[in-house]
């Protein structure tokens, strides 16, 4: 089992691309990795990873940001999401964030790795069709909310890869976990 040096890896990608599933696979395979906690104003979902989200009001979110508790934050699909600063600097932290947050992490954390995940498909239109199917299948959003996520996804698919150290196509979870783990390990050891 590889030993990862301390560092931050941000997993970025549009809604429905499988970030939660891939992060859960990384944590299961490499328990020495730690997932960053997020503050969010969105309602809880049944498939949220334990300890992954702290659900708060918009006022509390803004108050905690003003107190300097967040590494990064962004508004996404009418909700606020932010990464809580870790207690320790000697952990290998995985963040699930949006591309706006990735730009903030890039500025604030020297050596942070940004991984952009995208769905299969040769064109953005094909990728959006895959995301639409996945979002509809998880039944967590209204049609209006899904449409808003797809509008944002188009922007993410255009901009996200330009911020990334690695771009992976999430067609198969195990392969995606392998690709991300390999870049984390080699990047950290270099």
């Amino acid at each position: 089992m590889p030993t990862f040096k301390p560092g931050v890896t941000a997993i970025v990608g549009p809604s429905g691309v499988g970030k939660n599933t891939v992060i859960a696979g990384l944590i299961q395979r490499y328990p020495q990795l730690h997932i960053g906690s997020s503050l969010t104003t969105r309602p809880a979902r049944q498939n949220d990873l334990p300890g992954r989200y702290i659900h708060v009001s918009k006022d509390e979110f803004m108050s905690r940001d003003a107190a300097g508790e967040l590494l990064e934050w962004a508004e996404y699909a009418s909700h606020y999401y932010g990464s809580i600063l870790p207690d320790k600097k000697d952990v290998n932290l995985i963040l699930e964030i949006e591309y706006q947050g990735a730009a903030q992490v890039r500025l604030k954390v020297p050596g942070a790795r940004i991984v952009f995940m995208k769905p299969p498909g040769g064109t953005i239109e094909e990728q959006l069709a895959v995301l639409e199917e996945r979002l509809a299948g998880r039944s967590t959003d209204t049609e209006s909310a899904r449409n808003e996520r797809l509008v944002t996804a188009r922007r993410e698919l255009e901009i996200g890869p330009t911020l990334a150290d690695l771009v992976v196509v999430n067609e198969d979870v195990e392969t995606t976990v392998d690709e991300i783990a390999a870049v984390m390990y080699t990047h950290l050891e270099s």
Side-chain angles (χ1 to χ4, degrees):
M1 180 178 298
T3 301
F4 297 95
K5 291 181 182 175
V8 174
T9 301
I11 309 293
V12 182
S15 286
V17 77
K19 295 180 300 285
N20 275 335
T21 303
V22 168
I23 289 171
L26 282 163
I27 298 294
Q28 181 178 6
R29 191 183 297 176
Y30 306 107
Q32 71 269 39
L33 303 177
H34 301 274
I35 186 166
S37 293
S38 290
L39 205 60
T40 185
T41 61
R42 80 152 167 80
R45 291 187 190 140
Q46 192 172 19
N47 69 336
D48 284 345
L49 297 172
R52 171 71 180 93
Y53 292 103
I54 298 169
H55 301 273
V56 298
S57 69
K58 182 179 176 184
D59 287 342
E60 183 178 345
F61 186 97
M62 291 304 181
S63 174
R64 291 180 72 172
D65 178 50
E69 295 180 27
L70 300 179
L71 173 61
E72 60 78 32
W73 71 271
E75 183 176 0
Y76 185 85
S78 302
H79 297 290
Y80 291 91
Y81 295 82
S83 298
I84 298 171
L85 282 169
D87 293 341
K88 304 186 301 183
K89 294 185 186 226
D90 63 341
V91 297
N92 197 322
L93 190 64
I94 299 174
L95 302 174
E96 178 201 337
I97 59 178
E98 310 311 323
Y99 73 94
Q100 305 99 312
Q104 294 172 51
V105 168
R106 174 80 70 211
L107 291 173
K108 293 180 182 179
V109 183
R113 289 143 329 264
I114 309 295
V115 176
F116 185 80
M117 286 177 49
K118 63 182 189 173
T123 66
I124 288 179
E125 296 307 320
E126 292 169 341
Q127 293 166 7
L128 288 170
V130 171
L131 292 175
E132 184 173 19
E133 183 178 314
R134 289 179 181 180
L135 289 171
R138 72 183 191 190
S139 302
T140 57
D141 294 312
T142 64
E143 184 175 346
S144 172
R146 275 195 315 272
N147 289 336
E148 185 178 353
R149 288 181 182 278
L150 290 169
V151 167
T152 302
R154 177 179 296 281
R155 228 177 12 257
E156 289 177 302
L157 291 167
E158 292 168 351
I159 296 169
T162 66
L163 301 171
D165 299 304
L166 172 69
V167 176
V168 295
V169 176
N170 186 24
E171 191 162 2
D172 172 73
V173 173
E174 290 302 312
T175 302
T176 303
V177 167
D178 289 343
E179 290 180 49
I180 294 171
V183 80
M184 289 173 68
Y185 182 70
T186 57
H187 187 88
L188 289 170
E189 291 298 321
S190 59

